[in-house]
Amino acid sequence: MTQSPIRILIVDDHPMVADGIEAILEGYDDIQVVGVLGNGQDAIDQFETLDPDVILLDLNMPGVGGLTATEIILERRPDTRILILSMHDTPEYISSALSHGARGYVLKDVPTEEIKTAIDAVMRGERYLCTGARGSLTPEETGDREPLTSREQTVLLQLAQGKSNKEVAAELDISVRTVETHRKNIKRKLGISSTAGLTRYALEHGVLQGTGHGL
């Protein structure tokens, strides 16, 4: 019996990039591109109808970004395979993508055949990091991350608003030492080393607008 082709949805706000990836993948007999979308909101709205096996998702897009789209899509269909395609090779981007449930992370400058390798890997249930992405992470960071607790999410919101540990402690009626512990745990779980990194993470995930989903 002939095996059904792997159904791929491409989501990238740069038409030249998206069209290039589509052209590459259409050259494989075992792949069918079921859609090419330009933003995260369209991916959220249409992925169930398009029913892809794998979503190739850009991180930085206008409106709903890749990480928020990943969260919402996985809330609706937890077994969805999401493969991040990005130009960013910093640990914060990569570890955030993995902690949000992405099955793999591939830099856009990889050889074209590596995209196919990544697709095949996530279809087998494996996690795939391209060489450049693996090199940016410590061995510990390539593993599954613990989710933030609801209290840690609350502390992250406060810190991202520029509040000091003392101000957060007063706001939440907890000790400064407890805030420091939460702050340390948040940084460890997210793989972020600086307060600026926490703020950027919060901005990218809609935390400051109150639209974060299951951080």
Side-chain angles (χ1 to χ4, degrees), residues 98-114:
L98 297 178
S99 69
H100 280 74
R103 301 284 185 92
Y105 196 103
V106 176
L107 299 175
K108 289 183 178 180
D109 61 357
V110 300
T112 55
E113 61 269 15
E114 187 159 3

Side-chain angles (χ1 to χ4, degrees), residues 20-107:
I21 294 170
E22 180 183 20
I24 291 164
L25 295 181
E26 287 285 18
Y28 291 94
D29 293 336
D30 60 343
I31 282 185
Q32 176 188 1
V33 177
V34 297
V36 179
L37 304 175
N39 60 74
Q41 187 61 56
D42 284 348
I44 293 166
D45 293 341
Q46 299 183 43
F47 85 96
E48 289 176 295
T49 301
L50 294 170
D51 193 28
D53 295 309
V54 179
I55 301 176
L56 302 183
L57 189 60
D58 188 18
L59 275 185
N60 297 107
M61 295 179 286
V64 177
L67 290 178
T68 299
T70 296
E71 292 174 354
I72 297 172
I73 288 169
L74 291 177
E75 283 178 0
R76 295 184 184 176
R77 189 180 289 182
D79 61 346
T80 304
R81 304 171 185 89
I82 295 178
L83 184 59
I84 298 296
L85 283 176
S86 176
M87 65 179 68
H88 298 287
D89 63 355
T90 59
E92 290 171 13
Y93 278 99
I94 301 166
S95 59
S96 292
L98 297 178
S99 69
H100 280 74
R103 301 284 185 92
Y105 196 103
V106 176
L107 299 175

Side-chain angles (χ1 to χ4, degrees), residues 15 19 29 47 61 79 112 123 132 135 150 167 170 179-180 184 206 214:
D19 292 346
D29 293 336
F47 85 96
M61 295 179 286
D79 61 346
T112 55
M123 283 298 294
S150 58
E167 290 170 330
V179 174
E180 291 171 350
K184 183 170 71 174

